[in-house]
Amino acid sequence: MGVGGGEMAAAAAVVEEEGKEEEEEEGEEGGWGWRARSKQPPALDQDTFADYTARTSFERPLLSGVAYAQRVMHADREAFERQQGWIIKTMKHEPSPPQDEYAPVIYSQETVSYIEGLDMMSGEEDRENILRSRATGKAVLTRPFRLMSNHLGVVLTFPVYLVDLPPDAKVEDRVAATAGYLGGAFDVESLVENLLRQLAGNQELVVNVYDVTNHSNPLVMYGSEVPLGAPSPSHTCMLDFGDPFRNHHMICRYRSEP
Ligand code: WA2
């Protein structure tokens, strides 16, 4: 079951498609960096992002919403805040204390507009994901954690670079070329609950989702802690959220008679 790869490919298409049409006449550099920097007025703004992501959300039915966070160095913070007209806040909604760098959300799909203006590096799981995505150039997934929606879920992060990098680019070159981060959340708790609500006789079904990246320490992503080797007949299937370094599976069974 491929729930992830296509999801983010579709999210990444937000970046790609913006670049495509004018790539021929404007030169080599692809992606969104050159466009965001070279257009006056900028080609991308919150309304364009919200409109495009809303129109393409059917491509990412499992993501609760996508957003773009910009990489801002501390030296550039004041100018950034003046230009935006707001102050970078932490994920606890407090003004951000000084940091080496920040990742404030500047564009968001309306479904996750509550993360607008927040420094996504102020949350441990989001921060680790941001650092890993820009160091590898790949889409990366967090471990399960409580999202700002207050539901258990995971976040998929995709780095955006200012220039095209070769696949074997050094980590420090990747970091230096980083423009920002495109990402979205899988709100697994509400996904499974909505699914179960639609199933006839949902009272009889028990669903558990685990992050089994470390097989000896499965992390609960949905459902209560129950032994993995279930006694009653069950069906197990793998889930693919788009990060090949993380493994997940889902176990479905009928609730055994008391
Ligand atoms: N998106 C939605 N809800 C969240 C969340 C998140 N992160 N983190 C906690 N709750 C803009 O990786 C960059 C999305 C973070 C991207």
Side-chain angles (χ1 to χ4, degrees), residues 64-69 91 103 105 107 112 114-115 120 126 129-130 133 145-149 155-158 181-185:
S64 58
V66 292
Y68 178 75
M91 287 165 77
V105 171
Y107 307 132
V112 290
Y114 47 82
I115 64 172
M120 299 317 283
D126 275 285
N129 229 37
I130 281 170
S133 74
F145 72 107
R146 203 152 288 283
L147 300 169
M148 293 195 66
S149 64
V155 168
L156 189 65
T157 300
F158 206 93
Y181 322 95
L182 186 64

Side-chain angles (χ1 to χ4, degrees), residues 6-245:
E7 298 276 320
M8 208 56 205
V14 175
V15 177
E16 306 261 314
E17 197 162 295
E18 290 289 332
K20 245 172 224 160
E21 44 201 65
E22 284 167 70
E23 205 157 4
E24 278 130 59
E25 47 187 44
E26 297 240 348
E28 334 268 79
E29 203 185 328
W32 125 353
W34 65 267
R35 190 169 161 100
R37 278 180 297 122
S38 62
K39 290 291 168 150
Q40 207 48 252
L44 197 62
D45 56 22
Q46 166 57 27
D47 288 347
T48 309
F49 186 92
D51 181 65
Y52 185 87
T53 52
R55 281 192 291 118
T56 54
S57 62
F58 70 94
E59 310 248 21
R60 309 174 299 275
L62 303 181
L63 277 176
S64 58
V66 292
Y68 178 75
Q70 185 177 318
R71 181 180 196 216
V72 177
M73 302 306 296
H74 183 68
D76 304 321
R77 174 176 177 173
E78 247 187 74
F80 172 85
E81 291 181 335
R82 202 175 325 117
Q83 186 212 332
Q84 296 288 329
W86 44 257
I87 279 169
I88 300 174
K89 286 182 270 349
T90 67
M91 287 165 77
K92 289 175 176 155
H93 300 276
E94 288 152 351
S96 174
Q99 305 286 343
D100 291 349
E101 59 175 298
Y102 313 84
V105 171
I106 57 168
Y107 307 132
S108 66
Q109 196 174 337
E110 266 165 58
T111 49
V112 290
S113 58
Y114 47 82
I115 64 172
E116 185 106 342
L118 304 185
D119 173 19
M120 299 317 283
M121 291 180 100
S122 64
E124 191 187 339
E125 295 84 359
D126 275 285
R127 178 192 177 82
E128 281 171 8
N129 229 37
I130 281 170
L131 297 179
R132 196 155 63 91
S133 74
R134 76 183 186 190
T136 59
K138 302 227 155 65
V140 299
L141 197 72
T142 63
R143 65 177 58 227
F145 72 107
R146 203 152 288 283
L147 300 169
M148 293 195 66
S149 64
N150 219 22
H151 295 143
L152 267 191
V154 289
V155 168
L156 189 65
T157 300
F158 206 93
V160 177
Y161 298 108
L162 293 163
V163 293
D164 272 331
L165 291 162
D168 62 348
K170 288 204 279 292
V171 171
E172 61 255 44
D173 294 336
R174 292 196 170 279
V175 173
T178 301
Y181 322 95
L182 186 64
F186 293 97
D187 189 324
V188 176
E189 208 166 324
S190 48
L191 282 170
V192 178
E193 237 126 70
N194 285 332
L195 189 65
L196 289 176
R197 206 171 302 137
Q198 288 174 55
L199 290 175
N202 65 76
Q203 306 302 4
E204 270 118 77
L205 283 175
V206 180
V207 174
N208 285 87
V209 182
Y210 298 92
D211 178 328
V212 289
T213 306
N214 175 357
H215 228 284
S216 53
N217 180 29
L219 306 172
V220 175
M221 206 143 129
Y222 182 81
S224 55
E225 302 260 5
V226 288
L228 269 178
S232 61
S234 65
H235 179 74
T236 303
C237 68
M238 309 310 285
L239 301 173
D240 175 5
F241 285 97
D243 178 350
F245 291 100

